Amino acid sequence: MVPLGSIGPLYLDYNATSPLAPGVLEAMLPFLREEYHNPSSASEAARPIRQAVEVARRGVAELVGARQPNQIVFTSGGTESIHAAFHMALATGNERRKIVLSSVEHSASKGAAQTWQERGYEVLALPVDSQGLPHLDLLEETLAASPVALVSWILANNETGVVLPDPQDFAERVHRHGARLHVDAVQAPGKLPLHAQDWQVDWLSVSGHKFGAPKGVGALYERVPSPSSPWLQGGGQESGRRGGTENVASVVGLGAAALRAHLQANDPTFLSQWEALRDRLEQTVLEAIPGAGIHGQAAQRVPNTTFLSIPGQPAELLLPLLEGEGLLCSAGSACDANHWAPSPVLLALGVPPEVAAGSLRLSLGPQTNQVEIDRAAEILIRVFRWLAQGA
Ligand code: PLP
């Protein structure tokens, strides 16, 4: 155990990105050094590289609950996986001209929807309830009203951690009306068990850097592999679905991290200890800061995430002070960090703009411990009181 405050910042921003998980770098290193051959090469020397890519594919297939490894396509991360899913759903010329998503999607999904809107699709962002959960009746009404090609929904919200309650039921509702379903599961690996095949979702996206693999690698699960509609036309890699020489070392890292995340997500003891740490942090802050609250608290949330509202103190002011005290967290989606506008997710939940502006997301990593949690709470409370005194 490192003495408090002696090194580096206290990092509670794992939903933004994570460091490499134990063993991942070691798994990758041979593929950055001696095992450099092109996996598509016909040479004998390339065989171990090809095998390593396929081992990683099996690891990711297990993580997401695929039936078989060829349902997995490697990509450059969550954003690409999401865009690829939209492409596979829509590029083959769909008579259904509507895309439905939630109003609490990540900007990657909103961006993919916008791309297809510019190509003539109608895009509808459905409102959610105060916890960020779907109104299922509204979903069904929308699906029944006019033919929808694709529904895209976030599985675990990156800001609140709120989880889509019953993905299988959700997929059934979507399919009943002839639409297909993409699920953004980028924030789910290692935090809840994934069952893409059983849920019958058509596509499911994950991103390595959220669960201990390097940045710039991810995967897309396809219920029905679609070589006829390549996302990137090229050398026929990924069974013709995504051209381009594979990012072998990162793919191997993704496979190694996937195995760990799969074990972790299926370890109820670990998950409840993780949740207890998160709850301890929330409890301490709620007791010490009058009027503090937790977004999405009434819903099921992934165990590592809390989105706290700190009354009267804009995150814009809080964050640099917290960082100065050694605590790194965020005001919401890291991708929105340069814009000091209140979180669109919170506004979609009906949170008043001034409350949304004073909200902080803290997200724990698998190794976060109680000493760190207590330290984080202590820093937060101290900074809040200091600001409040000056008010
Ligand atoms: N979807 C969600 C829910 C995310 O949290 C993120 C990243 O923050 C993404 C998609 C985009 O993933 P990537 O950074 O790998 O492109």
Side-chain angles (χ1 to χ4, degrees), residues 47-58:
R47 187 199 292 267
I49 323 288
R50 264 197 304 283
Q51 282 170 347
V53 169
E54 293 318 309
V55 168
R57 201 182 305 281
R58 289 202 290 277

Side-chain angles (χ1 to χ4, degrees), residues 29-39 45-46 49 245 248:
L29 279 176
F31 300 91
L32 293 164
R33 290 182 179 141
E34 59 273 17
E35 305 284 6
Y36 57 83
H37 297 270
N38 189 321
I49 323 288
T245 302
V248 175

Side-chain angles (χ1 to χ4, degrees), residues 117-383:
Q117 191 172 31
E118 284 158 12
R119 295 175 186 167
Y121 279 79
E122 185 190 343
V123 174
L124 196 61
L126 290 186
V128 292
D129 74 8
S130 64
Q131 304 301 304
L133 298 175
H135 298 289
L136 293 174
D137 292 348
L138 178 63
L139 173 75
E140 295 240 28
E141 270 169 40
T142 308
L143 291 166
S146 63
V148 171
L150 179 68
V151 176
S152 187
W153 212 270
I154 192 161
L155 183 64
N157 191 276
N158 46 303
E159 299 192 14
T160 59
V162 167
V163 175
L164 178 66
D166 185 345
Q168 187 172 351
D169 171 68
F170 194 88
E172 271 170 25
R173 290 171 193 263
V174 170
H175 290 152
R176 204 180 297 148
H177 296 276
R180 291 190 288 172
L181 176 64
H182 164 255
V183 165
D184 173 359
V186 166
Q187 290 291 346
K191 302 172 191 169
L192 53 100
L194 299 175
H195 302 289
Q197 188 68 35
D198 294 345
W199 293 339
Q200 295 282 295
V201 300
D202 298 286
W203 294 276
L204 181 145
S205 296
V206 294
S207 174
H209 72 110
K210 307 293 187 182
F211 60 94
K215 293 160 196 40
V217 67
L220 177 68
Y221 160 88
E222 286 192 281
R223 186 154 70 106
V224 182
S226 59
S228 59
S229 175
W231 155 239
L232 289 179
Q233 284 277 8
Q237 289 90 347
E238 297 297 285
S239 313
R241 291 169 289 177
R242 182 194 189 262
T245 302
E246 293 85 348
N247 178 357
V248 175
S250 292
V251 161
V252 168
L254 183 71
L259 291 178
R260 285 189 74 91
H262 178 61
L263 290 176
Q264 186 177 297
N266 288 281
D267 178 350
T269 311
F270 171 80
L271 294 179
S272 60
Q273 286 167 353
W274 218 15
E275 189 170 46
L277 277 182
R278 190 268 316 269
D279 292 351
R280 181 182 173 98
L281 173 66
E282 290 182 340
Q283 202 54 41
T284 315
V285 171
L286 291 187
E287 279 168 14
I289 299 184
I294 299 162
H295 302 296
Q297 191 182 17
Q300 188 206 334
R301 292 178 292 157
V302 287
N304 79 317
T305 306
T306 182
F307 203 3
L308 297 164
S309 70
I310 311 289
Q313 304 301 345
E316 191 177 345
L317 270 182
L318 283 165
L319 281 180
L321 290 172
L322 293 172
E323 183 166 3
E325 294 297 309
L327 172 60
L328 286 174
C329 55
S330 83
S333 167
C335 311
D336 293 330
N338 294 327
H339 313 117
W340 284 109
S343 148
V345 168
L346 292 183
L347 298 182
L349 267 51
V351 174
E354 64 283 5
V355 177
S359 295
L360 291 176
R361 179 187 71 183
L362 292 95
S363 44
L364 286 60
Q367 263 87 39
T368 303
N369 59 40
Q370 191 173 311
V371 176
E372 291 170 316
I373 284 300
D374 291 348
R375 172 102 176 114
E378 184 269 316
I379 293 174
L380 243 171
I381 293 163
R382 181 153 42 83
V383 166

